[in-house]
Amino acid sequence: MSSATPSDEPTRPVVRLACYNIHQGVGRDGRRDLERVARVIRSLRADVVVVQELHVFYGSSEQRHQLEDLAAATGMVGISGPTLLRPDGHYGNAVLVRVPVARQRLHDLSHPGREPRGLVEVELDTAIGPLKLLATHLGLLPRERRGQVRRILELVETSPRPLVLAGDFNEWWPWGRPARWLGRAFPGMPAPATFPARFPLLALDRILVDPPQVLRSLEVVREGDVALASDHLPLLAELALPP
């Protein structure tokens, strides 16, 4: 399913960026199979993959090294963005990259009394030049997301362009205030449905780009193991500088 189509010549340098909630490696069949997730990510041929619901030294033995195992299985470098911290390990967001990282920083977006949430800020050196990436996974309640989106938009306002904001926004209501605020900050961005994986109806996962002309294409990936590997489908964007 394509939501935007390439408009510039194919020889123009392109960055492939994906966003994928892997559901802790547990597929729709109830099996935890990180190699299946890795196959999906390898099939994307992405330079950057924003990942949610990933374990880092946390939980049972088969979960404790998910970021390291996924990075090794995909040939990428893992950047950890933990949100839930425990003595035996962490859990949260991550970014997998094939491109050099100039700078990285973590931001706490947690709402009192709710599951901790965060954002990974990364400056990347890509084929199209410097690229700022903000990667996140927002809360389940509207009041959480309102505060989180306000804080994200403060970062957006002070960030250089081109800029990508990607993640699982948990925005079930496209008419809600967080969705409207993001729509004003990133006008014209397509929002294809990615959840649930078997029959996607909701656009929970987003890749938002500023300036919008940098978004060359955006699609929901459905081939291969994708339908079983997680309860979300991955998004794949191609980014290129306009002529």
Side-chain angles (χ1 to χ4, degrees), residues 171-172 174 191-204 222 233:
E171 188 53 70
W172 301 73
T194 57
F195 180 88
R198 183 177 182 182
F199 189 70
L201 297 172
L202 301 170
L204 300 189
R222 303 172 182 270
L233 297 175

Side-chain angles (χ1 to χ4, degrees), residues 139-147 171 173 178:
L140 294 172
L141 297 183
R143 67 174 183 270
E144 290 181 81
R145 295 195 298 277
R146 287 194 290 269
E171 188 53 70
W173 315 113

Side-chain angles (χ1 to χ4, degrees), residues 139-180:
L140 294 172
L141 297 183
R143 67 174 183 270
E144 290 181 81
R145 295 195 298 277
R146 287 194 290 269
Q148 289 160 353
V149 169
R150 287 191 192 99
R151 292 162 70 182
I152 289 172
L153 291 180
E154 291 174 359
L155 287 173
V156 168
E157 289 176 1
T158 59
S159 292
R161 269 56 175 175
L163 166 74
V164 176
L165 170 61
D168 179 350
F169 289 84
N170 267 323
E171 188 53 70
W172 301 73
W173 315 113
W175 54 85
R177 276 179 283 176
R180 297 202 309 269

Side-chain angles (χ1 to χ4, degrees), residues 2-202:
S2 180
S3 302
T5 55
S7 58
D8 50 338
E9 63 270 24
T11 56
R12 188 172 296 277
V14 169
V15 173
R16 291 170 65 88
L17 187 146
C19 180
Y20 192 20
N21 184 327
I22 69 167
H23 197 226
Q24 305 173 48
V26 178
R28 285 182 39 245
D29 55 3
R31 287 197 302 120
R32 188 183 307 278
D33 189 343
L34 200 66
E35 174 52 35
R36 180 167 58 185
V37 172
R39 286 198 300 271
V40 171
I41 292 177
R42 288 195 298 266
S43 74
L44 301 175
R45 296 182 292 109
D47 303 293
V48 183
V49 183
V50 176
V51 182
Q52 302 86 44
E53 296 194 16
L54 182 76
H55 288 278
V56 185
F57 298 117
Y58 179 75
S60 64
S61 59
E62 65 180 359
Q63 297 171 259
R64 291 180 65 84
H65 300 278
Q66 281 195 343
L67 178 56
E68 290 82 356
D69 292 346
L70 199 56
T74 58
M76 305 180 80
V77 174
I79 300 171
S80 178
T83 55
L84 184 59
L85 306 178
R86 289 176 42 154
D88 59 347
H90 313 317
Y91 165 85
N93 306 311
V95 180
L96 296 167
V97 298
R98 300 187 195 279
V99 298
V101 177
R103 181 174 177 266
Q104 63 188 74
R105 182 182 177 189
L106 301 182
H107 299 268
D108 185 6
L109 300 181
S110 301
H111 185 89
R114 299 294 299 167
E115 178 183 330
R117 302 285 177 172
L119 178 143
V120 185
E121 176 186 0
V122 188
E123 295 178 9
L124 302 170
D125 183 9
T126 75
I128 64 172
L131 177 68
K132 172 65 73 71
L133 171 65
L134 306 176
T136 192
H137 187 185
L138 301 186
L140 294 172
L141 297 183
R143 67 174 183 270
E144 290 181 81
R145 295 195 298 277
R146 287 194 290 269
Q148 289 160 353
V149 169
R150 287 191 192 99
R151 292 162 70 182
I152 289 172
L153 291 180
E154 291 174 359
L155 287 173
V156 168
E157 289 176 1
T158 59
S159 292
R161 269 56 175 175
L163 166 74
V164 176
L165 170 61
D168 179 350
F169 289 84
N170 267 323
E171 188 53 70
W172 301 73
W173 315 113
W175 54 85
R177 276 179 283 176
R180 297 202 309 269
W181 296 338
L182 289 169
R184 286 197 293 266
F186 296 90
M189 288 293 101
T194 57
F195 180 88
R198 183 177 182 182
F199 189 70
L201 297 172
L202 301 170

